[in-house]
Amino acid sequence: MFKNKKILSLVITILTLSIVLSACGGGKGITRSNPEDTLVVAQGADAKSLDPHATNDQPSSRVAKQIYNTLVASNVDMEIVPALAESWESIDELTWEFKLVPGVKFHNGEELKASDVKFTYERMLASPSVSHIIGPVAEIKVVDDYTVQIITSEPFAPLLSHLTHTASSILNEKAVTEAGEDYGQNPVGTGPFAFDSWQSGDRITLKASEDYFQGAAAVKTVIFRNVPEGSNRTVGLETGEIDIAYDVEPIDKNLVADNAGLELIEGPSLSSQYLGFNTQKAPFDNVKVRQAINYAVNVQEIIDVVLEGAGEVAKSPLMELIFGSNEEIQGYSYDVEKAKELMKEAGFENGFKTSIWTNDSPVRVRIAEIVQAQLKEIGIDASIEVVEWGAFLDRTSAGEHDMFILGWTTVTGDADYGLYALYHSSQHGDAGNRFFYTNPEVDKLLDLGKTEVDQEKRLAAYKEAQEIIVADAPQLFLYFQTQNVGENKAIKGFELHPAGHHSLYNVTIEQ
């Protein structure tokens, strides 16, 4: 949860107002080319799977957010609010009891029961991709059809925050069982939009659920289009083919902000970007090599050149709005001579050859190019390999890479989610730790932070863990980025969520 949600709300409001005002220079609106009740949303990659337990990537989560509900949710201020559970209470330090909203229907017509909750979390615990989110959960007990208890093996302080994650979405046991291995392409939820069709690599179509328990959405059809090239997302906005474009490229921001028919919405996000090292492969198993690369790259230049200044140098894994961040860490400064010294001490005075993997995101490709150029200063000859998104996730999970560019969003706003999956040795591979990083002391501190209920002791554990992680440098710490969305001005009611999983339920289209 945010430490200062009032500041967060104020920042979002000021940024939105200033951008709206700057765009109010007169001129005509942009005529939408889509049907009046159809909302077209573009993002930079196709979903990998719509089974919440099969993946944990942002493009998939953004679609899943519309299809499913969780027991509890987080609003745009990161406050925990009711969703499928109308109330909840802590029975003791190991037991939480939830009362379900009666009469909620899945998209296949089945009524939500406590047994679906039990099925969902037991299935989630068996998933190598997302089980870490609720790892200490030991038992899910059905009290009656509308009452369920979650029992943990030890105190689990971030439980409620973690239940807001899209991976904790509640599934229908019958639908999952019937679909079998094809469930990820045939999802069934309780959310405001039901899955309709998926043209792989192109678009996913959702239809409004008329039986949605909070009332049917005004928009009847939502189409998520896969538009990897950022400039094409902007062109789509300008021509009226796209109503909402996620992640407007830095170079296009003024095009959107200055267009009288468009609106650019910006706000803070909970994500950090990094260049990771495979710490189990030479020469990245040498901490001095990893530290040298941190000193050799001018991250501020990357922010200025690639992001047009829309970011902040990351000195540690967590940005300041996340519970458990350590703002005292100074991180690595840009110091090429220091980098050369470390390379010499590591036995690589003459450098080495390696590779940087990235997906086809233009921003990440540009970052890779800058890093490639700057690493030459210390003798590192790095090739760049652009890998298709699904293959990128699979192959980095398998540890085939040397270096890779990726990001992580601390969706729940709690350090447990931001650190455990990335740095605990039990999470190597698909769960998040694609560095294959292992440090027993970090494991111990992250275990303590997960189970300790005293908030001050949790904070102390997370701060110490981050100091060790930064010193071990399993990654080149890049930046915390401001997130943005461009939209047609006919679109009303859209709000940025700091986690990047924006709800489309309250969006309307002005005719």
Side-chain angles (χ1 to χ4, degrees):
M1 189 177 297
F2 283 142
K3 294 187 295 182
N4 197 331
K5 59 191 177 188
K6 290 183 177 178
I7 291 178
L8 171 68
S9 298
L10 181 60
V11 170
I12 293 174
T13 302
I14 291 174
L15 285 170
T16 302
L17 285 174
S18 63
I19 292 163
V20 170
L21 290 171
S22 69
C24 290
K28 298 179 180 178
I30 292 175
T31 302
R32 301 177 59 251
S33 61
N34 305 307
E36 63 181 25
D37 61 355
T38 296
L39 182 73
V40 176
V41 181
Q43 60 177 345
D46 197 10
K48 184 181 179 188
S49 171
L50 296 178
D51 178 347
H53 301 164
T55 187
N56 191 16
D57 66 293
Q58 186 82 308
S60 300
S61 295
R62 284 171 162 173
V63 181
K65 176 84 171 184
Q66 322 308 323
I67 298 173
Y68 298 99
N69 292 108
T70 47
L71 280 189
V72 292
S74 63
N75 61 21
V76 294
D77 292 323
M78 297 302 288
E79 297 169 325
I80 294 176
V81 297
L84 292 177
E86 59 184 7
S87 64
W88 56 90
E89 64 175 329
S90 174
I91 303 297
D92 55 48
E93 66 176 13
L94 300 180
T95 307
W96 285 82
E97 184 170 279
F98 297 82
K99 296 287 187 182
L100 303 183
V101 177
V104 175
K105 293 291 183 64
F106 285 100
H107 300 145
N108 61 357
E110 292 265 305
E111 184 182 5
L112 169 70
K113 297 288 181 63
S115 58
D116 292 303
V117 178
K118 176 179 173 66
F119 168 78
T120 295
Y121 291 147
E122 288 179 345
R123 185 174 184 265
M124 184 176 178
L125 284 166
S127 163
S129 297
V130 297
S131 62
H132 63 90
I133 298 173
I134 58 168
V137 171
E139 180 184 0
I140 300 94
K141 183 178 180 181
V142 174
V143 178
D144 58 43
D145 279 352
Y146 304 106
T147 307
V148 62
Q149 291 181 347
I150 297 178
I151 301 164
T152 58
S153 58
E154 52 197 347
F156 185 28
L159 175 64
L160 285 180
S161 294
H162 288 8
L163 293 184
T164 68
H165 194 294
T166 54
S168 302
S169 298
I170 302 303
L171 313 182
N172 175 246
E173 180 174 3
K174 180 180 178 183
V176 173
T177 303
E178 288 181 349
E181 294 183 356
D182 295 329
Y183 180 73
Q185 288 73 48
N186 299 278
V188 173
T190 58
F193 297 96
F195 175 79
D196 181 73
S197 62
W198 189 346
Q199 295 174 245
S200 182
D202 181 30
R203 65 187 60 200
I204 295 171
T205 301
L206 312 177
K207 298 289 185 181
S209 170
E210 297 302 322
D211 294 328
Y212 185 51
F213 74 102
Q214 294 182 347
V219 170
K220 298 308 175 189
T221 301
V222 173
I223 299 174
F224 275 91
R225 287 186 54 190
N226 173 30
V227 185
E229 186 67 37
S231 60
N232 288 339
R233 294 198 293 277
T234 299
V235 170
L237 284 172
E238 293 172 326
T239 60
E241 297 174 60
I242 292 172
D243 296 312
I244 296 175
Y246 290 163
D247 308 319
V248 175
E249 298 287 350
I251 196 172
D252 291 337
K253 284 170 55 178
N254 287 339
L255 288 176
V256 176
D258 294 341
N259 190 315
L262 301 176
E263 183 173 345
L264 180 70
I265 305 173
E266 289 187 293
S269 78
L270 302 178
S271 69
S272 65
Q273 303 296 314
Y274 59 83
L275 182 146
F277 310 122
N278 188 335
T279 64
Q280 292 191 352
K281 290 176 69 174
F284 302 105
D285 56 350
N286 188 321
V287 65
K288 291 187 177 180
V289 169
R290 305 195 298 263
Q291 292 172 336
I293 292 175
N294 272 275
Y295 281 116
V297 175
N298 186 341
V299 177
Q300 186 60 55
E301 182 178 315
I302 290 174
I303 293 171
D304 293 340
V305 172
V306 181
L307 305 181
E308 304 271 330
E312 176 186 352
V313 174
K315 297 178 179 177
S316 63
L318 302 179
M319 57 104 66
E320 61 180 359
L321 293 173
I322 297 168
F323 175 86
S325 65
N326 187 340
E327 297 163 45
E328 298 172 357
I329 293 177
Q330 295 303 307
Y332 294 88
S333 57
Y334 175 49
D335 188 339
V336 176
E337 293 307 312
K338 178 69 173 176
K340 288 179 178 176
E341 290 176 17
L342 286 165
M343 288 288 283
K344 184 176 181 180
E345 291 174 14
F348 293 98
E349 184 175 10
N350 297 320
F352 54 82
K353 290 187 176 182
T354 184
S355 63
I356 302 171
W357 285 16
T358 177
N359 68 324
D360 56 4
S361 159
V363 168
R364 287 179 176 163
V365 171
R366 186 72 184 109
I367 290 170
E369 292 170 346
I370 292 175
V371 171
Q372 178 189 48
Q374 296 188 355
L375 290 186
K376 287 182 180 177
E377 295 293 316
I378 60 170
I380 297 177
D381 181 6
S383 61
I384 297 173
E385 296 185 29
V386 179
V387 184
E388 184 272 330
W389 180 238
F392 179 87
L393 294 177
D394 290 341
R395 295 179 65 187
T396 52
S397 294
E400 298 178 22
H401 56 287
D402 288 347
M403 295 190 283
F404 67 108
I405 299 177
L406 199 56
W408 183 264
T409 303
T410 305
V411 175
T412 66
D414 188 283
D416 177 63
Y417 186 80
L419 298 178
Y420 195 89
L422 287 187
Y423 305 107
H424 197 282
S425 63
S426 67
Q427 304 299 300
H428 287 177
D430 193 43
N433 187 347
R434 296 165 199 261
F435 320 116
F436 295 86
Y437 169 68
T438 297
N439 184 316
E441 185 60 23
V442 169
D443 285 354
K444 179 181 174 184
L445 290 165
L446 297 185
D447 287 338
L448 176 61
K450 183 184 286 289
T451 57
E452 176 59 60
V453 295
D454 185 310
Q455 297 297 320
E456 292 304 316
K457 291 180 179 177
R458 291 190 75 212
L459 282 173
Y462 286 133
K463 288 187 174 184
E464 185 177 352
Q466 287 169 87
E467 290 170 359
I468 298 171
I469 291 166
V470 171
D472 283 348
Q475 69 203 68
L476 162 61
F477 297 88
L478 289 175
Y479 56 85
F480 305 126
Q481 186 176 4
T482 301
Q483 64 172 334
N484 68 53
V485 161
E487 66 176 10
N488 189 300
K489 279 197 171 177
I491 306 304
K492 306 296 180 186
F494 178 88
E495 289 186 293
L496 280 176
H497 193 288
H501 308 157
H502 317 300
S503 172
L504 302 174
Y505 173 55
N506 291 316
V507 170
T508 60
I509 305 172
E510 191 174 71
Q511 305 302 327

